[in-house]
């Protein structure tokens, strides 16, 4: 019998779920200090371009039916636009950040205040953590980054607060200093026990974390170094549309093969602060979601 080529598989059917996000219009965006390798305070920044690029992301979310809440940005806190660092929100409870660097500590009370005013339970952290920058809900577990920003002890704190298993992953490349710069969760909601699709940059993790990711997510998308360098993994997803950098061309192809629809949004100006699409997006998960 002759060897048959495997029949091409139809891409999986993906389902969009309407999300609720918190964003911050970067009216005071600039780079006045450096706390990650992308930030060069001597290089010029264009605040109006940052606002226009940000607005394109906001508009894309709204056009697809997502609900976007806003927190006001504050002069002197130029990193506030990266709302992913404003907390980790699950079951209507916000575990608020305790920033590693003094430059961002002024944001802590502002985010906590916003959550209180909007009916969320607020848990003040004992340990240093930077919210969804390092903590990503992936089905039944929370993936948690360590190595650069969040304290190891914050992972245990997170587990105690939300009662979900936390899987610690160690980041090793300073350019990928938050988990959300090296890993994206593509399925926001899955049936209990089901494994969500994720995408990650293998080279950003230590050997043990890479082995853990391979074991837990054997079907994951592994992106190229070029797409990782283009900040391709700093992407957000509604289960069908994946909002990602237009420069991550290989990643977009991988997404299409799996049945996702890439929505390219260029946030090049915000990358001067070391952030991208996911950094500008905090998911607000209410009591019932
Ligand atoms: N300049 C910010 C910092 O270094 C960028 C934060 C990016 N946020 C993120 N979720 N990766 O803290």
């Amino acid at each position: 019998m002759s060897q048959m080529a495997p029949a091409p598989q139809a891409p999986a059917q993906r389902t969009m779920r309407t999300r609720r996000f918190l964003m911050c219009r970067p009216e005071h965006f600039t780079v006045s200090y450096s706390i990650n390798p992308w930030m060069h305070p001597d290089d010029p920044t264009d605040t109006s371009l940052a606002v226009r690029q940000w607005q394109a992301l906001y508009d894309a979310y709204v056009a697809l039916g997502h609900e976007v809440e806003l927190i006001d940005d504050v002069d002197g806190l130029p990193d506030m636009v990266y709302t992913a660092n404003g907390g980790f929100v699950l079951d209507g409870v916000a575990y608020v950040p305790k920033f590693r660097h003094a430059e961002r500590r002024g944001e802590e009370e502002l985010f906590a205040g916003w959550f209180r005013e909007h009916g969320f339970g607020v848990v003040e952290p004992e340990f240093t953590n930077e919210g969804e920058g390092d903590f990503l809900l992936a089905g039944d577990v929370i993936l948690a980054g360590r190595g650069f920003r969040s304290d190891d002890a914050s992972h245990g704190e997170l587990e105690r607060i939300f009662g979900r298993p936390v899987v610690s992953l160690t980041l090793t490349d300073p350019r990928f200093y938050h988990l959300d710069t090296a890993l994206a969760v593509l399925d926001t909601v899955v049936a209990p026990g089901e494994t969500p699709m994720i995408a990650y940059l293998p080279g950003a993790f230590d050997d043990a974390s890479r082995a853990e990711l391979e074991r837990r997510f054997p079907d994951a998308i592994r992106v190229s170094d070029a797409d990782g360098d283009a900040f391709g993994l700093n992407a957000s997803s509604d289960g069908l549309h994946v909002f990602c950098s237009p420069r991550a061309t290989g990643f977009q192809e991988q997404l299409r093969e799996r049945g996702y629809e890439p929505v390219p949004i260029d946030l090049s100006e915000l990358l001067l602060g070391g952030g991208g699409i996911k950094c500008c997006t905090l998911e607000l998960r209410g009591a019932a979601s």
Side-chain angles (χ1 to χ4, degrees):
M1 217 172 75
S2 66
Q3 198 78 41
M4 299 244 296
Q9 268 197 319
Q13 285 291 324
R14 303 292 169 188
T15 315
M16 170 190 165
R17 315 239 179 198
T18 307
R19 317 310 305 164
R20 187 174 177 218
F21 298 133
L22 177 62
M23 296 181 72
C24 176
R25 185 174 279 110
E27 270 153 13
H28 297 95
F29 176 74
T30 184
V31 176
S32 52
Y33 51 80
S34 180
I35 56 172
N36 71 53
W38 304 85
M39 299 175 85
H40 303 290
D42 294 337
D43 292 351
T45 49
D46 180 339
T47 306
S48 70
L49 177 59
V51 171
R52 285 200 303 281
Q53 292 183 337
W54 176 94
Q55 190 68 45
L57 177 63
Y58 176 95
D59 291 347
Y61 284 149
V62 171
L64 286 165
H66 300 295
E67 196 183 333
V68 185
E69 303 280 355
L70 291 174
I71 182 170
D72 291 334
D73 86 335
V74 169
D75 196 4
L77 294 173
D79 277 343
M80 245 188 113
V81 60
Y82 307 115
T83 51
N85 301 124
F88 176 80
V89 187
L90 185 57
D91 305 330
V93 172
Y95 173 50
V96 293
K98 185 164 172 174
F99 283 96
R100 163 94 29 212
H101 299 288
E103 290 87 341
R104 296 200 65 182
R105 292 196 190 129
E107 299 175 40
E108 292 166 2
E109 256 319 296
L110 299 172
F111 281 107
W114 190 92
F115 289 119
R116 277 192 200 95
E117 279 163 29
H118 290 79
F120 289 85
V122 170
V123 181
E124 300 281 352
E126 186 180 340
F127 300 104
T128 298
N129 83 88
E130 301 197 347
E132 242 187 18
D134 269 332
F135 305 146
L136 296 171
L137 182 67
D140 300 331
V141 303
I142 302 171
L143 304 178
R146 58 174 298 282
F148 295 104
R149 297 290 180 92
S150 298
D151 261 7
D152 294 6
S154 70
H155 295 191
E157 188 169 45
L158 186 69
E159 194 164 64
R160 286 192 295 281
I161 293 166
F162 293 103
R164 312 242 184 151
V166 168
V167 177
S168 294
L169 300 168
T170 303
L171 297 161
T172 53
D173 182 332
R175 289 173 309 152
F176 305 107
Y177 55 93
H178 276 140
L179 183 63
D180 72 358
T181 66
L183 187 149
V185 178
L186 303 174
D187 294 329
T188 49
V189 180
V190 289
E194 205 177 292
T195 306
M197 179 67 74
I198 67 164
Y200 64 96
L201 176 65
F205 296 92
D206 73 355
D207 291 345
S209 304
R210 230 177 355 251
E212 180 75 33
L213 287 168
E214 277 164 24
R215 194 178 66 74
R216 284 182 180 270
F217 303 97
D219 299 327
I221 297 177
R222 293 170 185 82
V223 306
S224 67
D225 289 345
D227 287 347
D229 292 353
F231 236 59
L233 284 167
N234 198 248
S236 69
S237 173
D238 62 21
L240 170 63
H241 308 103
V242 180
F243 306 85
C244 65
S245 164
R247 284 161 298 128
T249 49
F251 180 39
Q252 290 181 59
E253 200 41 54
Q254 289 171 305
L255 286 167
R256 278 190 214 97
E257 281 162 14
R258 314 276 178 135
Y260 296 98
E261 289 179 22
V263 179
I265 307 273
D266 186 13
L267 294 190
S268 58
E269 198 60 23
L270 291 161
L271 188 54
L272 302 177
I277 291 168
K278 177 65 193 75
C279 302
C280 294
T281 309
L282 175 64
E283 178 145 14
L284 301 171
R285 299 180 192 86
S289 66

